[in-house]
Amino acid sequence: MATPTHAAQAERNKNDAESQQNVEKLATCFIGSIDQGTTSTRFLIFNGVGVPVASHQIEFKQMYPHSGWMEQDPREIVDSVLTCIEEATKSFRDMGHSTDDIKAIGITSQRETTVLWDRNTGQPLYNAIAWPDTRTQAIVRELKARKGADKLQEICGLPLSTYPSALKLTWLFRNVKEVQQTYDAGRLMFGTIDTWLLYSLNGGKSKNVHMTDSTNASRTMFVDLRTLEYSPEVLDFFEFDPKKLILPTIVPCSDPDAFGSLASGTLKGKKITGCLGDQSAALVGQLGFEPGMAKNTYGTGCFLLYNVGEKPVMSTHGLLATVAYNFGGKRKPVYALEGSIAVAGSAVKYVVNNLKFVESSAKISECAATVKDNGGCYFVTAFSGLFAPYWIDDAQGTIFGITQYTQQGHIARAAMEATCFQTKAILDAMEKDSGHKLTELAVDGGMTDSDLCMQTQADIINIPVDRPMMRETTALGAAIVAGFAVDVWTELEELKEINKEDRTIFKPQISQEDSAKMYSRWTKAVNMSKGWLDSEAGNLSQ
């Protein structure tokens, strides 16, 4: 008869064997992930242990018809998704895999970017207005003076600013005659990019799949954060009639049926079972499932999400309240505080494309490393005003501290530091709102490829920065919510080892006193960047 010690060892061996069998099974189970970002689209195919095995990425055109405006072609966005699916799937097959093993597809996308289309034709009525666009500045000032404006953020978690979709819709309604006519006829369909993709990928008007998930819906201003339903009070404030404006149905991020399936292409018939906004997807991909966990994504913009649990926390220090994720079923929605920085990677692109200091974004760190510090140069990258925690709509991009000593490296370094300083401001605000100080910051996104940038970030915030080896965490998050809907995973505990290997920790290397001096100068630069835009900004001129 086995002794208790032998029995316990036998049980451990059995559990280890079952765990290994499960890993081997997951390694042959695949999930597709559409990651539709601000400047590029990609499609990745992950296996069940979170490793990407195939991918394809393409950039699409950005349009800047006036200063502060940013538009995208909704049709080109859909075409970019379809192309990426075809090319990544071809690579997947070339490796010897079968598409039968792709269990489902998830979608993550840029958020507040707004698309309007006619229910009868299924065609867009105008270009998509992208989330960094600032043409609504005059409307924002007007609406802030309207009765009831002070109550909005308590309902929806977002301040009146150029950022949310509601302001973009208001501008389109006021300035595009075809939008007004379609609204009056009761045929105006509204959506953020997730909704437009779901509609288009399902076959457009023939299927009329008009859905959104609660993370994307929470970025419009139209949704009551506590009920996750459209707020009649907010719609009334913006003077939209829900009988004329066709809003998408709101569902959880993970659902086996609500999001439909691909209507064409090599993966025709594959179900779309997950959908969530890109920053929520990154939090899921970083496995930020416990209250107090946070992540910072350095993409075109930079977005810090802090998990606050199952009840929304309304910020009093310039942050946004938003839905972190919502797996549905018996699980309650989880909320986050968010700090949004409008310009991050796009500042690097500005240095590359406009100032032409280097030939590619990948070289920006080399340029910055030619000098030992910023030389007293501070670059307030307010190309779309300043977002959290400042919310200064009339700020514009400004470089302070230029002297005859200033070199290209100083400005390149200052452009990267701008995101790091704004992250510090957001972390300070989060500590005040939550009562807790982060001890470590998980990061992802394109700018995290730069060791110099991440070391600078650690120095400025005075806590370690944790960078994963596999940095496609946004796409991974979409794959995770899709996988839960089809039982690839059933418990969050099953994900605990995903993307945990070979992480790099950047520890602060300067004193808190030196860090505080740098941040003080940055704060002075921010205050001096205010008031550059006039009150007429955003009016349509032909």
Side-chain angles (χ1 to χ4, degrees):
M1 181 175 178
T3 66
T5 302
H6 290 155
Q9 184 61 48
E11 182 66 22
R12 283 195 293 270
N13 290 342
K14 179 184 176 183
N15 290 340
D16 288 345
E18 289 177 351
S19 177
Q20 182 60 33
Q21 288 174 357
N22 187 49
V23 168
E24 292 173 357
K25 179 182 176 182
L26 287 172
T28 59
C29 172
F30 301 94
I31 304 165
S33 181
I34 297 167
D35 182 357
Q36 202 298 301
T38 307
T39 59
S40 70
T41 299
R42 67 191 78 189
F43 182 70
L44 297 91
I45 301 173
F46 289 90
N47 65 19
V49 291
V51 176
V53 297
S55 67
H56 189 76
Q57 177 178 0
I58 55 177
E59 293 190 350
F60 58 94
K61 184 179 179 182
Q62 310 298 314
M63 291 170 273
Y64 304 94
H66 301 283
S67 177
W69 294 28
M70 182 176 177
E71 298 178 0
Q72 299 163 349
D73 182 345
R75 299 177 189 84
E76 185 184 2
I77 290 175
V78 174
D79 288 343
S80 71
V81 170
L82 294 173
T83 299
C84 287
I85 290 174
E86 293 300 311
E87 293 300 320
T89 304
K90 181 179 182 299
S91 298
F92 181 73
R93 282 174 165 159
D94 289 345
M95 295 174 190
H97 298 299
S98 169
T99 55
D100 292 340
D101 294 327
I102 299 177
K103 304 303 180 185
I105 293 171
I107 294 179
T108 182
S109 59
Q110 53 176 315
R111 296 175 298 174
E112 300 77 9
T113 298
T114 300
V115 185
L116 301 177
W117 64 100
D118 187 326
R119 180 180 60 191
N120 285 2
T121 66
Q123 296 300 311
L125 299 172
Y126 194 82
N127 284 330
I129 297 184
W131 62 266
D133 186 286
T134 61
R135 74 186 69 189
T136 59
Q137 287 164 336
I139 296 175
V140 169
R141 283 189 281 274
E142 172 200 330
L143 294 182
K144 281 182 176 179
R146 182 179 288 180
K147 183 180 179 181
D150 58 335
K151 298 178 181 178
L152 293 180
Q153 190 163 357
E154 182 61 29
I155 297 171
C156 68
L158 306 180
L160 272 171
S161 73
T162 60
Y163 191 23
S165 309
L167 281 299
K168 304 177 198 308
L169 172 59
T170 300
W171 185 93
L172 286 162
F173 178 76
R174 292 184 181 185
N175 290 278
V176 182
K177 179 180 269 189
E178 197 173 359
V179 169
Q180 298 169 4
Q181 293 171 339
T182 309
Y183 172 85
D184 290 338
R187 305 194 313 268
L188 185 64
M189 298 186 77
F190 163 86
T192 43
I193 291 297
D194 61 304
T195 298
W196 171 245
L197 286 178
L198 288 166
Y199 177 84
S200 302
L201 295 176
N202 272 277
K205 68 174 185 176
S206 63
K207 292 285 185 66
N208 198 33
V209 173
H210 193 216
M211 312 295 292
T212 190
D213 84 287
S214 43
T215 68
N216 280 295
S218 72
R219 312 302 297 186
T220 62
M221 284 195 83
F222 293 140
V223 172
D224 186 321
L225 266 193
R226 294 170 178 83
T227 65
L228 298 186
E229 296 176 354
Y230 292 111
S231 166
E233 185 176 348
V234 176
L235 285 166
D236 183 63
F237 176 87
F238 283 100
E239 299 179 342
F240 289 117
D241 183 348
K243 294 179 181 178
K244 293 183 177 180
L245 177 65
I246 307 173
L247 296 165
T249 301
I250 304 170
V251 296
C253 309
S254 182
D255 193 288
D257 300 305
F259 302 122
S261 60
L262 297 182
S264 63
T266 189
L267 296 183
K268 180 179 179 179
K270 290 290 180 184
K271 277 194 168 185
I272 303 167
T273 61
C275 178
L276 73 176
D278 53 4
Q279 303 313 318
S280 290
L283 184 66
V284 171
Q286 288 273 22
L287 309 184
F289 297 127
E290 296 295 327
M293 289 184 169
K295 69 86 203 174
N296 204 24
T297 299
Y298 301 72
T300 301
C302 186
F303 302 88
L304 201 159
L305 261 66
Y306 178 93
N307 184 327
V308 298
E310 295 175 354
K311 293 182 179 180
V313 173
M314 298 300 173
S315 175
T316 57
H317 296 91
L319 303 180
L320 312 178
T322 194
V323 179
Y325 53 85
N326 181 7
F327 279 85
K330 296 180 181 178
R331 295 182 176 90
K332 294 181 179 180
V334 172
Y335 296 88
L337 282 170
E338 176 175 331
S340 309
I341 300 169
V343 175
S346 54
V348 172
K349 285 199 170 185
Y350 174 83
V351 173
V352 174
N353 297 334
N354 295 51
L355 302 185
K356 301 189 185 301
F357 286 0
V358 289
E359 63 270 21
S360 70
S361 297
K363 298 288 187 180
I364 193 74
S365 287
E366 293 180 18
C367 181
T370 59
V371 294
K372 65 178 182 178
D373 54 34
N374 64 21
C377 184
Y378 289 80
F379 191 168
V380 182
T381 52
F383 301 156
S384 298
L386 286 170
F387 283 15
Y390 310 105
W391 300 110
I392 306 171
D393 287 340
D394 61 1
Q396 278 200 312
T398 320
I399 302 175
F400 295 98
I402 293 179
T403 68
Q404 288 182 316
Y405 170 74
T406 303
Q407 302 171 35
Q408 290 182 342
H410 294 123
I411 295 175
R413 187 180 280 261
M416 290 198 304
E417 287 180 350
T419 300
C420 301
F421 284 126
Q422 289 174 86
T423 296
K424 158 74 171 167
I426 288 167
L427 285 174
D428 287 351
M430 283 188 174
E431 184 179 348
K432 292 173 184 175
D433 277 331
S434 67
H436 299 284
K437 181 179 176 64
L438 277 188
T439 57
E440 188 174 84
L441 181 63
V443 299
D444 53 70
M447 284 182 71
T448 65
D449 290 343
S450 167
D451 288 358
L452 176 60
C453 185
M454 291 301 96
Q455 183 57 57
T456 300
Q457 184 67 88
D459 290 342
I460 289 172
I461 62 178
N462 274 297
I463 59 173
V465 168
D466 178 5
R467 182 181 70 186
M469 183 180 71
M470 197 289 290
R471 296 194 270 283
E472 298 289 358
T473 53
T474 302
L476 177 60
I480 287 172
V481 295
F484 263 84
V486 293
D487 293 333
V488 171
W489 308 282
T490 57
E491 299 295 335
L492 297 178
E493 180 70 15
E494 298 172 48
L495 303 169
K496 64 182 180 180
E497 297 304 320
I498 285 182
N499 205 22
K500 292 298 183 184
E501 295 182 358
D502 299 321
R503 298 177 79 95
T504 303
I505 306 296
F506 297 87
K507 296 181 179 180
Q509 294 181 353
I510 66 173
S511 69
Q512 290 191 20
E513 182 181 2
D514 287 343
S515 176
K517 286 180 181 178
M518 293 172 64
Y519 185 63
S520 176
R521 293 191 192 102
W522 162 262
T523 302
K524 184 177 181 180
V526 167
N527 290 330
M528 293 175 67
S529 74
K530 299 177 183 178
W532 284 92
L533 293 178
D534 62 40
S535 61
E536 298 303 313
N539 287 346
L540 181 64
S541 58
Q542 299 288 353

